[in-house]
Amino acid sequence: MSFQNTKHFTLKLITSEHIMGAFYRFHRMQQNISLSNFAKQLRMNKGFLSELENGKRHFPDGLYIQLNHLLHLQFNTDIELWHQSRKTLFTLFDFFFLEQNDSIQQLCENFDNQESILSNSYGFFVCLIIKIFYYLRIQRDNSKIIEIKNIIDTHIDCLQNDELSIYYCFLGIFYKRSVSTNSIALDYFKKSNQLCSPNSSVNAMNTFQLVSVYSELNKYIIAYEKCIECKPLLRQYNNYSRLITIDMFECITLTNMHMFDESKKKLLNILSSTNNGTFNYCQDQIYHNLAWNALLSQNYEECIHYTNLAKDAGDPSSRLCLDLHPFHYY
């Protein structure tokens, strides 16, 4: 049996034997059972077992039952569990991209109830990507993310390209958390974009994330270009929440490029649309960025004016323009 990706821009063929073999190899090694000892327990040639684990041989009928018994597993050969795992991953990503937090919570709870079944199937490696997200956004645990990353990287050829594109996107977001690892994040977002469709939500998310990555790397021209590139991608999905964020990023980027008048004009237009109820931008952030723009352009009276307005609007900064880099808001 083979799994051919029919949804992805770049197609990839993975056999069921390859995934099943990798699954059993992983669990054998987790239980510290050597290949030689396991072959003896199975009364099987060591070389033949190695080829099974590496997906080079067809599994004899009923062998998986014996493997389940020896390794205390419950591997289920129902192909629908693989499809279900993929559907959960793609749906979760779309909820994340659209910032639908309640739906994310519900889906994660449903996955938690089904994880034992899905993880003991051809969906094992897809489920690991879902768990990366869980430890990234729900229960923040960096050590678990690194642990799962090491497993996936060892079995990277067991994943479809569309699955990998989401995996690399999640890793980009993980490494983007620290300025010191922004260059690593950049590489992962680029790898993700090489694997996903140009019209996919993954590409839109990568482009969105790259704006702040390039900004933190002081590559403001590229960051600005990514702002422009990102807007039609977000509009395609009616993702107005992230569009608002990109609008603010664009203003900050213009300020850091010393295009102060252009940035101020755009910020005032955003403020106007907020005041008339067209879009729901946060006023404190608008005033904050106007103060930052005024500070960098050495218009100190205007800086103080917008700083006070930002504080009145609820800006949390204690010393607004003296201590806080505006990208930290996002």
Side-chain angles (χ1 to χ4, degrees):
M1 182 190 301
S2 64
F3 304 133
Q4 182 147 0
N5 174 5
T6 59
K7 185 177 179 179
H8 198 271
F9 183 64
T10 304
L11 298 182
K12 183 178 180 182
L13 192 67
I14 302 175
T15 64
S16 58
E17 286 83 4
H18 191 80
I19 295 178
M20 184 185 287
F23 173 87
Y24 284 117
R25 181 177 66 244
F26 168 76
H27 284 286
R28 172 182 63 77
M29 295 178 70
Q30 282 288 99
Q31 297 179 35
N32 294 316
I33 303 174
S34 70
L35 184 69
S36 297
N37 286 339
F38 200 47
K40 288 179 181 178
Q41 293 181 53
L42 291 167
R43 298 180 180 179
M44 182 182 293
N45 178 275
K46 176 182 174 182
F48 183 75
L49 177 59
S50 177
E51 290 184 340
L52 282 175
E53 289 188 346
N54 286 283
K56 297 178 180 179
R57 291 274 188 171
H58 177 72
F59 273 72
D61 292 340
L63 177 61
Y64 79 95
I65 297 175
Q66 188 178 2
L67 294 172
N68 283 347
H69 175 73
L70 291 174
L71 294 173
H72 309 289
L73 300 172
Q74 295 179 332
F75 188 85
N76 191 324
T77 58
D78 185 356
I79 185 63
E80 287 304 314
L81 295 175
W82 179 73
H83 290 297
Q84 187 176 341
S85 300
R86 280 172 54 83
K87 182 179 179 180
T88 300
L89 175 63
F90 298 143
T91 303
L92 178 64
F93 186 87
D94 286 341
F95 286 158
F96 173 48
F97 172 63
L98 296 171
E99 300 182 287
Q100 296 178 354
N101 294 327
D102 290 342
S103 297
I104 289 173
Q105 188 67 39
Q106 184 62 55
L107 187 62
C108 286
E109 290 175 5
N110 292 340
F111 173 74
D112 189 53
N113 293 330
Q114 298 177 311
E115 181 185 352
S116 178
I117 296 173
L118 297 177
S119 293
N120 281 282
S121 74
Y122 295 116
F124 173 71
F125 296 105
V126 177
C127 289
L128 290 178
I129 302 176
I130 297 172
K131 292 177 74 172
I132 286 264
F133 177 86
Y134 178 80
Y135 290 117
L136 181 67
R137 303 293 295 192
I138 307 298
Q139 182 182 330
R140 302 193 176 218
D141 190 328
N142 292 352
S143 62
K144 286 289 187 181
I145 292 173
I146 295 300
E147 179 183 330
I148 296 172
K149 176 183 178 298
N150 290 335
I151 297 171
I152 294 177
D153 287 349
T154 304
H155 302 89
I156 206 76
D157 55 352
C158 290
L159 290 168
Q160 294 282 3
N161 286 333
D162 50 0
E163 299 158 2
L164 279 174
S165 67
I166 293 177
Y167 169 60
Y168 288 140
C169 179
F170 286 164
L171 288 183
I173 293 170
F174 172 66
Y175 285 107
K176 176 176 166 280
R177 288 178 167 183
S178 172
V179 175
S180 63
T181 55
N182 259 328
S183 58
I184 300 175
L186 177 61
D187 288 340
Y188 277 118
F189 287 129
K190 286 182 175 180
K191 287 175 72 172
S192 178
N193 266 346
Q194 289 172 355
L195 294 171
C196 68
S197 166
N199 296 319
S200 67
S201 59
V202 181
N203 179 49
M205 176 64 99
N206 289 334
T207 307
F208 175 86
Q209 298 292 339
L210 283 170
V211 174
S212 57
V213 171
Y214 280 119
S215 297
E216 292 288 1
L217 294 172
N218 299 322
K219 297 182 179 181
Y220 300 124
I221 294 177
I222 302 178
Y224 180 75
E225 291 173 347
K226 290 298 174 183
C227 285
I228 304 304
E229 181 183 337
C230 189
K231 287 185 178 184
L233 296 173
L234 295 175
R235 290 192 188 100
Q236 174 184 333
Y237 289 93
N238 297 320
N239 196 332
Y240 298 111
S241 175
R242 292 193 186 276
L243 267 170
I244 289 172
T245 303
I246 285 295
D247 275 340
M248 301 301 287
F249 264 127
E250 185 179 347
C251 296
I252 297 169
T253 304
L254 287 169
T255 295
N256 284 323
M257 293 167 63
H258 290 190
M259 299 177 69
F260 303 119
D261 291 340
E262 291 83 350
S263 177
K264 179 180 177 181
K265 180 179 179 181
K266 183 170 180 60
L267 284 166
L268 291 174
N269 286 336
I270 292 173
L271 181 63
S272 175
S273 69
T274 298
N275 290 335
N276 64 31
T278 305
F279 292 105
N280 186 26
Y281 295 86
C282 295
Q283 284 192 344
D284 63 320
Q285 294 182 14
I286 300 171
Y287 288 131
H288 176 101
N289 291 331
L290 281 165
W292 182 259
N293 182 289
L295 178 67
L296 292 187
S297 62
Q298 300 182 350
N299 191 338
Y300 300 119
E301 289 186 6
E302 191 172 276
C303 176
I304 293 171
H305 170 68
Y306 285 123
T307 295
N308 290 329
L309 288 175
K311 289 183 177 179
D312 290 342
D315 190 286
S317 311
S318 58
R319 299 175 65 205
L320 181 65
C321 285
L322 299 179
D323 298 333
L324 188 63
H325 191 292
F327 283 114
H328 293 171
Y329 265 97
Y330 307 99

